[in-house]
Amino acid sequence: MSTRARKKHSQAVTLADVAQYAGVSGITVSRVINHPNKVSQATRQAVQEAIDMLGYIPNQSASSLASARSRVIGVAIPSLSNIVFTDVLRGIYDVAGTSGYKVLMVDTHYSALEEERMVRTLLSQSPEAMILTGGEQTQACERLLLKAKIPVVQIMDLLDEPMDMNVGVSHFEAGAAVAEQLLSAGYGQLGFIGARMDKRVRERLAGFKSVLEGRGRFWRNFVQVTDRPSSIELGGELFRTLMGQAGDVVDAVFCCNDDLALGALFESQRMGLDVPGDIGLCGFNDFEVSAFTNPSLSSVAVPRYQMGVTAAEMIITALNGGEVGPKKRDLGFEVALRQSTDHL
């Protein structure tokens, strides 16, 4: 067994061991771990190979004490199982990783009280910044974050009074745009189905409703909502209930997300309805599958990956003492019209 192998098995591997193995200085190893963007790719690769070979685990606690910086960004999202947040997180990780920061993520389960508890947990780890979803934090949670005096970005929604920085889209305007598009496509009796009913979904419904009320075309029995979590199965259930209570006069339905829209599409086919002739359907989030159903599903596309990238870039800029620029950024949306609303 080699000297290095004996070292690996007999006692903890140190940063000095990694430096010796890679043929670089200890400072260079530290830079690769904490500031990888400041080191050449060849050096990063050599050091990473040494770390992998020796099984070195950096002592983040010691590093934080030495530098008074944790190099951790806390992220709170409502659900780890909701694929809506996958692209957002990918954007955050891509920027944070290349900037030498680590992401510590928690699931708040769509609960403001759980979010408060999770924020307390995150703050105990001394994060340098926080990214939160939406703007429905409790007063206690907001006080904790303000007292922490760290950069905070609230994502997904556009907020009137963000705590610090904000990047998102207007869900109200998105809902209104869907109503306008469906009316322009020749549909006249528009329904809505929604689930979970968090603030973003309520805003989509409010925007949708505002357009219809302005045209004298909003009827309460054309709306079917529940606080249950979204699923394709639930979409079919809500669609059938809506069509039954509305007397089958509804000729287009806006679904608060693509899960429900897919369920509505499958249920409409089981009911013998032609899409888009008898019924038009539009979802929200524009999942990849929506473009490949038959007929293809219209949906609202939101730049989720770019939202994560932008939030992380704002954080990194603030931490580096740079000028963040606009602290509130609207990334916009696009109503992607496809075959499911091709009525004309």
Side-chain angles (χ1 to χ4, degrees), residues 174-190:
V178 170
E180 293 284 4
Q181 292 281 11
L182 291 176
L183 292 171
S184 297
Y187 295 103
Q189 310 293 328
L190 310 186

Side-chain angles (χ1 to χ4, degrees), residues 80-331:
L80 292 177
S81 62
N82 189 335
I83 63 174
V84 167
F85 299 104
T86 302
D87 288 339
V88 178
L89 290 170
R90 187 163 55 87
I92 293 171
Y93 275 101
D94 283 353
V95 173
T98 57
S99 301
Y101 286 85
K102 297 170 180 60
V103 176
L104 188 58
M105 182 176 59
V106 295
D107 184 341
T108 67
H109 304 291
Y110 288 94
S111 165
L113 290 176
E114 179 67 6
E115 181 181 43
E116 178 188 325
R117 190 174 76 84
M118 289 291 97
V119 165
R120 289 181 187 274
T121 299
L122 286 173
L123 289 175
S124 72
Q125 304 301 310
S126 302
E128 295 191 33
M130 292 277 287
I131 297 175
L132 308 175
T133 304
E136 295 188 286
Q137 290 74 36
T138 65
Q139 290 184 351
C141 182
E142 187 169 345
R143 284 197 298 271
L144 285 170
L145 291 164
L146 291 175
K147 287 181 179 179
K149 296 182 179 180
I150 58 176
V152 175
V153 180
Q154 291 160 287
I155 63 172
M156 304 303 288
D157 305 351
L158 282 183
L159 307 175
D160 291 333
E161 297 182 1
M163 273 184 271
D164 182 11
M165 297 176 282
N166 176 213
V167 54
V169 302
S170 171
H171 293 266
F172 182 94
E173 293 298 331
V178 170
E180 293 284 4
Q181 292 281 11
L182 291 176
L183 292 171
S184 297
Y187 295 103
Q189 310 293 328
L190 310 186
F192 179 92
I193 60 175
R196 182 71 76 175
M197 301 311 293
D198 58 32
K199 183 176 182 292
R200 287 172 291 283
V201 175
R202 296 196 303 271
E203 285 292 305
R204 292 168 206 164
L205 174 56
F208 185 74
K209 178 181 176 182
S210 70
V211 171
L212 298 181
E213 285 183 330
R215 309 284 181 86
R217 308 199 68 84
F218 178 76
W219 293 274
R220 292 189 180 279
N221 64 326
F222 286 10
V223 175
Q224 185 67 30
V225 299
T226 178
D227 287 328
R228 292 159 57 191
S230 291
S231 68
I232 294 175
E233 180 182 7
L234 181 60
E237 178 186 324
L238 292 175
F239 178 78
R240 182 174 283 276
T241 300
L242 173 65
M243 298 304 288
Q245 74 179 20
D248 293 329
V249 298
V250 170
D251 60 4
V253 178
F254 175 33
C255 309
C256 79
N257 59 44
D258 282 5
D259 286 342
L260 297 187
L262 288 168
L265 175 61
F266 300 149
E267 187 65 24
S268 68
Q269 292 169 340
R270 284 190 288 268
M271 293 170 67
L273 298 173
D274 176 71
V275 179
D278 297 326
I279 191 80
L281 296 172
C282 182
F284 195 102
N285 287 320
D286 197 27
F287 294 154
E288 182 181 11
V289 66
S290 299
F292 296 97
T293 56
N294 185 24
S296 56
L297 184 64
S298 295
S299 187
V300 178
V302 174
R304 295 186 297 275
Y305 175 79
Q306 187 57 45
M307 196 176 298
V309 167
T310 302
E313 287 178 342
M314 294 168 80
I315 290 277
I316 302 302
T317 299
L319 290 174
N320 289 336
E323 179 59 46
V324 173
K327 286 197 167 187
K328 180 176 178 179
R329 303 187 191 181
D330 182 354
L331 297 189

Side-chain angles (χ1 to χ4, degrees), residues 50-64:
I51 288 172
D52 294 341
M53 180 63 68
L54 299 176
Y56 175 65
I57 300 175
N59 187 334
Q60 294 298 329
S61 297
S63 175
S64 297

